[in-house]
Amino acid sequence: MGRHEREEPRPYENTGSGSFERALLAFLGFWHRNLVDPVGDFFSRTADKPWGLPRSRRWAICLSLGALTLVLAVVVVQAVIQGDQRDYAITTTQVVEQGVLLEEDYAACVMSIDLQGRTIAAETSCATNASFPAGTRVSVVQDPTDQERFLVVDPGQDWLPMPGDTWLVGGLIGVLLAFFVVLGVHRLLLHSSIPDSPLDARAVPTGADPVEKHPYPVMSGATDGFGESWEARKAAVGNGWLRFVEGDVRIRGSLLAALVILVTCLAIGLGSATHAEMEQDRQLARAQPIVTTVLLEKSSKGTSTMVRFGNEAVMLDYEPRWEIFLEIGQDIQVVEDPQRPGRLIPQEMADERGLFGILWDNVPTIIGWIVAVGFLAWLFVPRELAAVGGSLDRFLRRGKPRGRH
C-alpha cells in the first residue's frame, strides 16, 4: 500500500520511468502547483463572498454597474462625435489634391487612388450611397497628423457631422446595454433563488411579540416578492398545462388539427402573395432592357446585395442565386422596374425555375410551416410524439445486435 493512496490524487500520473517522462512530469507538476492551484484556491475563497454582502450593497453594485455602462456609452459617443468633427475640419481646411480612382471597396468605405504616380488608400465618408467606377477623378485631403491617412472629399462625399443623430443612436444603444447589464447582475446577485446574507438577519428581542422581519430593504424585498409571484404564476400555468397534456388525446388532437389547418392556410396565403409578386418581377425581367451593374457588396456580409447603378449604390430586390461564388467588382445583369425607378431585379429571374427553383423560392415559408407545426405538436401531443419516436427507433434497430447491459 503506497502512501499516496490516502492523499489527493496526483495532478499528473507518471506514465514511464525514462528521463523524458520524469522531466515532463516535473514540468507539468511545477506549472500545476504555481498556476492552476492558486487560481482554483482564489475562486474557491471568493465564490461565496458576494452572498455575504447585504442585499442593499448588492443592489448598489447592480445599479453602479448599470450607471458605469451608461457613462462608458457617453464617453464612446463623445469620442465618435469629436472624431467626426475633426475629419470634417480636415476636409474643409486642408489642401485638396487630385487623383484617379483605381478601385473602390464600397463595404469598407475605402478607395484605392493613383495620386500623382503613387497608390494610396483613402477613406470615404460612409455616409453616402454614391459609388464610382475606376477612372473617376477624385479629390482627397491629407490628415496633417498622419501622413499615411487620406480622406476623399469629392465626388459624392458628406463629412458633415450630425451630433443629434449620433447622440440619439448612441444613447439608445447605451440604455439597452445598461439595462441588460443591470438585468444580468440582478440575476447573478439578487435572484430570488439566491440565499440571503446572514448580515441581513434581524434578531427578535426576547419576550417581545413576534414582529415581521425584513431580511432586506423594502425596495429589494418588493422586487424579490414580484419575482417570487411571477415564478409562482409560471408554475401554476405549467402545472395546468401538464394536467391538460395528460388528458384525453382526442381533445388535444382536435385542437392540434385545427391549429395545423390554420397555420397551413396562413402559409399558403403568404406563399401565394410572395409568388404573385415574384411572378410579376419575372415578367419584368423578361420584358425590360438589360443593364449591366457592378457588384459592390454581398449579402453574406450581413447586409443586402449592393450593386453600382450609374453612380449610385443600389440594393437588389433579390439575392443572385449563386452569390457565394461571385466576386466583388463582377458584372451583374439587372433590369429596372419602370413603375419604381431605382428598383433593380436580377435578370436571372427570367430563367425557368423548375421544381428545385420553386422549392428554393419558398424555403422561408416551408421552414416556417415546419417549425410552427413541430412546435404545436410538441405542445399538444408530447407523450404521443415520444411513443412514435420510440417505435421508430425500435424499427430502425430491428435486426441489429444489441449492446451489453
Side-chain angles (χ1 to χ4, degrees):
M1 300 290 288
R3 63 184 181 89
H4 290 291
E5 292 184 6
R6 295 186 301 272
E7 300 176 356
E8 292 294 329
R10 292 182 176 183
Y12 303 99
E13 294 182 359
N14 193 351
T15 57
S17 58
S19 59
F20 175 77
E21 289 86 349
R22 289 196 300 270
L24 179 61
L25 178 64
F27 176 78
L28 294 178
F30 171 80
W31 285 108
H32 192 280
R33 288 191 304 272
N34 292 276
L35 182 63
V36 178
D37 285 345
V39 173
D41 293 341
F42 171 78
F43 281 107
S44 64
R45 289 194 306 269
T46 58
D48 295 330
K49 285 188 177 181
W51 322 131
L53 297 174
R55 294 183 70 88
S56 58
R57 188 167 298 177
R58 282 183 260 166
W59 260 112
I61 294 173
C62 181
L63 297 177
S64 298
L65 289 176
L68 179 62
T69 304
L70 277 179
V71 171
L72 291 176
V74 170
V75 171
V76 171
V77 170
Q78 184 62 34
V80 171
I81 290 177
Q82 290 180 353
D84 291 344
Q85 291 175 341
R86 180 179 179 276
D87 289 343
Y88 176 68
I90 291 174
T91 59
T92 55
T93 58
Q94 298 301 306
V95 177
V96 176
E97 300 180 72
Q98 296 291 326
V100 178
L101 176 61
L102 299 177
E103 185 180 6
E104 178 186 25
D105 189 342
Y106 179 82
C109 302
V110 174
M111 287 182 177
S112 179
I113 298 171
D114 180 2
L115 185 63
Q116 300 175 1
R118 64 183 179 127
T119 302
I120 64 169
E123 302 175 15
T124 64
S125 67
C126 253
T128 175
N129 286 329
S131 177
F132 306 96
T136 302
R137 299 291 298 178
V138 179
S139 300
V140 300
V141 295
Q142 188 177 33
D143 190 333
T145 61
D146 186 355
Q147 301 301 315
E148 299 298 325
R149 184 170 183 256
F150 293 85
L151 306 178
V152 180
V153 295
D154 186 70
Q157 303 302 313
D158 181 14
W159 290 97
L160 184 66
M162 307 182 81
D165 294 345
T166 307
W167 275 116
L168 177 61
V169 176
L172 290 176
I173 294 175
V175 169
L176 286 175
L177 289 177
F179 171 76
F180 284 114
V181 167
V182 171
L183 190 65
V185 177
H186 180 275
R187 181 79 179 180
L188 180 64
L189 297 179
L190 291 153
H191 193 259
S192 57
S193 62
I194 293 174
D196 293 334
S197 167
L199 301 178
D200 289 324
R202 301 292 186 266
V204 179
T206 305
D209 294 333
V211 296
E212 183 181 1
K213 294 187 292 183
H214 298 281
Y216 39 79
V218 174
M219 181 175 66
S220 59
T223 304
D224 287 343
F226 172 78
E228 294 171 359
S229 175
W230 176 250
E231 294 293 336
R233 290 192 185 96
K234 289 196 297 183
V237 172
N239 292 331
W241 187 260
L242 182 61
R243 289 192 296 270
F244 172 74
V245 169
E246 293 175 349
D248 193 344
V249 68
R250 292 173 295 182
I251 298 176
R252 292 182 284 121
S254 299
L255 290 174
L256 175 62
L259 290 175
V260 168
I261 292 173
L262 177 61
V263 169
T264 304
C265 291
L266 289 175
I268 292 174
L270 293 175
S272 299
T274 303
H275 181 74
E277 182 178 357
M278 292 179 67
E279 188 59 34
Q280 182 179 2
D281 290 338
R282 288 194 186 93
Q283 296 298 329
L284 292 176
R286 296 186 182 103
Q288 296 300 312
I290 298 175
V291 180
T292 300
T293 62
V294 178
L295 180 63
L296 295 176
E297 190 172 357
K298 297 182 183 181
S299 60
S300 56
K301 293 186 177 181
T303 59
S304 301
T305 306
M306 303 291 292
V307 296
R308 183 191 301 126
F309 182 64
N311 285 335
E312 295 292 327
V314 181
M315 179 179 65
L316 289 183
D317 258 32
Y318 301 95
E319 298 175 9
R321 294 176 194 167
W322 307 108
E323 182 187 33
I324 190 174
F325 300 107
L326 299 178
E327 299 292 339
I328 299 298
Q330 188 169 337
D331 290 345
I332 303 292
Q333 292 186 331
V334 300
V335 298
E336 186 176 13
D337 189 342
Q339 303 298 325
R340 296 166 57 186
R343 179 174 180 260
L344 302 182
I345 303 167
Q347 195 275 333
E348 64 184 23
M349 291 286 293
D351 300 339
E352 294 295 333
R353 303 297 287 158
L355 179 59
F356 178 78
I358 293 173
L359 292 176
W360 182 259
D361 291 340
N362 292 279
V363 161
T365 303
I366 295 172
I367 293 177
W369 182 86
I370 292 174
V371 170
V373 171
F375 174 75
L376 290 174
W378 171 80
L379 202 61
F380 282 90
V381 288
R383 294 188 302 167
E384 289 73 13
L385 281 179
V388 171
S391 300
L392 181 61
D393 182 68
R394 288 192 296 272
F395 174 78
L396 294 176
R397 290 177 177 271
R398 184 180 57 182
K400 295 182 179 180
R402 296 183 179 180
R404 295 181 180 180
H405 295 284

